[in-house]
Amino acid sequence: MANLAISAAVLTFGMGVAVLWTNPSRLTNQVFFVMAVIVTTHLAFIYYANRVGTRLALGDSTSPITMLRAGSAASMFIPWTIWLLKESLVASGSTKIKTIRQSLPWFALCVALAAISFSTWYYYTPELLPADLERGPGYAKVNLSLIAVYTYLVGQSWLQMRRQIGIKRIEMQFLVVNSALIALLAVGLALGSHYLKISALRQVNRLVEIFACALTAWAVCYYRVYDLKQALTSLGQRFALVLILGLGTYIGWLAFDNYMPHIISLVLSIAITSTLAFRLDRQSRGWLGIDGERELLKQRQSVINLARLEAHPEQLVAKLERLLCHQSGASVNFLLLVDQDQVFASGITEFSKGRPGYAALYEFGWATPESLVRRRPTALISDLRSFMAEHFLGLMVAVPRGSPSPTLLLAMGIKENDWPFTYPEVLRLQNIAELMDNILTRSRLTMQAAIQAKLEHLSMMSRGLAHDLNNLITPVSSFLIYTDQRLPAEAPEREVHDAAKRSVRVMTDYVREALFFSDRLTPRFEPLNLGRLFEEVYGLMNLRATKRGITITTAIDHHDPTLADAVLLQRVLTNIVGNAIDASIPGQNVHLSATRGRSGWLCLQVSDAGCGIAPENIQQIFDPYFTTKKFGDEVRGFGLGLTICQKIVHLHSGVISVKSQPGRGTTLTIELPALQKPIAHSLAARAMASTGP
C-alpha cells in the first residue's frame, strides 16, 4: 500500500505541474495545481506513516500517528479547492483576488476541519501499529461532515451548471461535478475500509484519487472539447456491446457444445454473436444519436446536391455558407477563400498568411476559442484568439488537413446557443470543408472553361458577321462618297443622304468593334504606369463628360509593381467610363480609382451615381449584343463593350464584377493579379489554337 501511495503522489504532482505549465496565467490551471499539491501532500504523509510502522510517542514529530493526522489535515482543504475550481469557471467577470476573497469562508471551514484532525478526538490510540490504528470518536463525525460538504458542493454545482450555457456548462460537468462526486466516493471508501475492516478499499481509494486527478487534468488542459452526455452515451453503448458480445458468445458456446465439437461450437458462437453485435452497433448508434458517420454522410449529400443545382462559384459559396450555418446552428458563417499569394479573403474580411495567428492555425489544423485557452499562451495563439474574438468566430478549419499549402479556410461563427464546437463536430466540418474545397475548385475551373469557350464561339461568330457586313457596307459607302458632291445643300435628297452616311458610320463602328472582339488578342505584359494610364483615359473621356456636365475624378492608392497590357486596359477603362458618363445626369461625378486589393492584386473601380442597373439585368450585362442604355449619345451601341472588357480581363487572369442599385448608381470592379502567371499566356494560346487561322 505504501508503494501505491507514493506512486499516486508522484503522478498527482506531475499532473499538477503539467497542467500549470500549459497555461500558468489561467485561474483554473492554478487552482488545479493547488489541488494537486494538497492531494500530493496527503498521499506523501500516508506513505511516510506506512513506511515507519513502529510504536513511537504521540508527541514525536516522526510518529506515524502524526503523519496520518497531517495527511488527513491536508485532505480537509480539498472542498476549498473544488469551490475555487467552480468559481474560476462560472465567475468569468471576477478578478482572481476577488474570487480568492470570496473563498475565505470555505478556507476557514477547511482550517477548522484540519485542526480537528490533529486532536485525540480524531485519532486517539498511538500505541498500536499503523495497520491496527483505531480512530477516535470524532472520526466518523468529521467524515460525515465532509460527506455533507461534498454533497452540498455537488448540489450547488449542479444548480449553477443548469444555468450555464456553452463551454462553461461542459467544463462544470467534467471538472466540478465529477471532482466533488469522486471526492465524495473517496470519503465513503475511507469510512468503509475502517468500519467494514476491508483493507483493500484503501488501495481502491488511492486508485480513485489518481483517476480523479487524471480526469480533472484532462478536462482542464486537453484542447479537444467533448460533450459529457455524448461521451457517456458512447462509452455506455460500447460497454453494453462488449457485455452482450461476451455473454452471447458464452451462452452460444454452451448451447452448441451439446451438438458439435468443442472448438467448432466456440467458433460458431463467436461468428454469430459478432455479426449480431455489429448490426446492433449500427442500429444503436442511430437510436442514441451518436452515429457520426451517418450525420456526416447526410451533410455531404446535402453539399453535393446543392453543387449540382448551382454552377456559379460566387453564388455556390453563398448557398454553401447558408447551408453550413443552418446545419451547425452558427449565428455567423462565412468562408475565407485562398485567393492569391498570402491572403485568405471573403468579402471585406482578410486573414493574411503573414500574421502570427496563421502559423498557429496551420500547425493545429483547426482552432476554437476553447481549445486555444487550454494551450500554453504564445504570441501566435494570442493573435489567433484576437482574430477569432474580433470576428465572433467559434471555429476555424484549414483544409486540406496536413497540407503545407492550405487552399481554404472555413470560419464558423459562434453558435446561437453559445455551445462550443466539440471535437466530433470539428472532424465532421473538416471533412465537409475538404469536400467544399474540391467542389469550389471544380466550379471555378468549369466557369473559367465555360467563359473561354463562350468567348471563342462568339469571336468566331462576330468575325464572320463583321466580314459579311463589311462587304455589304463597302459599295454603299462608295456610292455615298461618289454622290456627296453632286447633291446641293438645299436639295430634298440631302437629308436622306446625310442620314444614310450616319447609318453607314454606325455600321462601320460596329464592324470595327466586332472585329476587335473577334481578334485573337495576345496581351503584352509590361510594367504598368497607372498614373499615365489614368491620364490617357481622362484625356480621351473628359470632352465627352464636359459636354454632358459630368465631372471625372481619379485616385491612385496602389504602388506595387504590376504587369499588364496598358493598351488593352485603356480600352477597358474608356469603355466603362463612357458607360458611366452615359448613365449619369448633369452635375454628377464619375470616379476612377486604383487600390491595393487582395494581397498581390490590383483593384480598379469605376463608380457613378447614375440610373443604375435593374437586378434582372445584372447577369446579362456581359452578354454580347445586350444593352439597356437609355441615356447618353444618340447611338445606343451594340452591347459588345462589356463583353470585350470581360475578354480583356479574362486574358489578364482577372475578375470583373458589378454592383448596382437602380437610381443610386453602379460600381464596376476589375481585379487583376499584379504579377501575371502563365495562365494568361496559355489561355491566349489556346484561344488562337482553337479558332484556327
Side-chain angles (χ1 to χ4, degrees), residues 340-343 350 352 596-601:
Q340 187 74 14
D341 296 332
Q342 299 298 316
V343 168
E350 287 191 358
S352 172
R596 185 181 183 275
R598 298 165 290 181
S599 180
W601 286 67

Side-chain angles (χ1 to χ4, degrees), residues 523-568:
R524 296 179 59 184
F525 294 107
E526 297 176 345
L528 180 64
N529 188 326
L530 284 172
R532 182 181 303 170
L533 174 64
F534 278 22
E535 288 178 2
E536 293 175 352
V537 173
Y538 181 86
L540 290 171
M541 305 307 298
N542 187 48
L543 179 60
R544 180 174 172 180
T546 302
K547 287 182 179 180
R548 291 185 51 81
I550 308 299
T551 304
I552 299 177
T553 58
T554 61
I556 299 177
D557 188 20
H558 184 279
H559 308 286
D560 296 339
T562 303
L563 295 178
D565 190 315
V567 175
L568 293 180

Side-chain angles (χ1 to χ4, degrees), residues 282-339:
R282 298 186 60 183
Q283 293 294 331
S284 60
R285 285 180 175 273
W287 298 335
L288 298 172
I290 56 175
D291 191 356
E293 291 186 5
R294 185 176 301 180
E295 182 66 23
L296 175 61
L297 290 175
K298 181 180 178 181
Q299 292 188 4
R300 285 178 62 92
Q301 191 60 48
S302 299
V303 172
I304 293 172
N305 291 339
L306 185 60
R308 289 173 178 171
L309 299 175
E310 181 57 63
H312 196 279
E314 293 184 4
Q315 296 179 6
L316 179 58
V317 167
K319 291 183 178 180
L320 287 173
E321 290 174 353
R322 289 194 294 268
L323 176 64
L324 281 181
C325 184
H326 172 72
Q327 291 178 342
S328 65
S331 56
V332 181
N333 172 274
F334 58 89
L335 292 174
L336 298 177
L337 304 179
V338 176
D339 290 307

Side-chain angles (χ1 to χ4, degrees), residues 423-442:
Y423 185 63
E425 289 179 307
V426 172
L427 292 179
R428 186 160 60 246
L429 286 170
Q430 277 184 318
N431 193 295
I432 295 296
E434 289 179 344
L435 174 63
M436 289 172 51
D437 185 31
N438 294 333
I439 289 175
L440 290 173
T441 301
R442 181 174 177 270

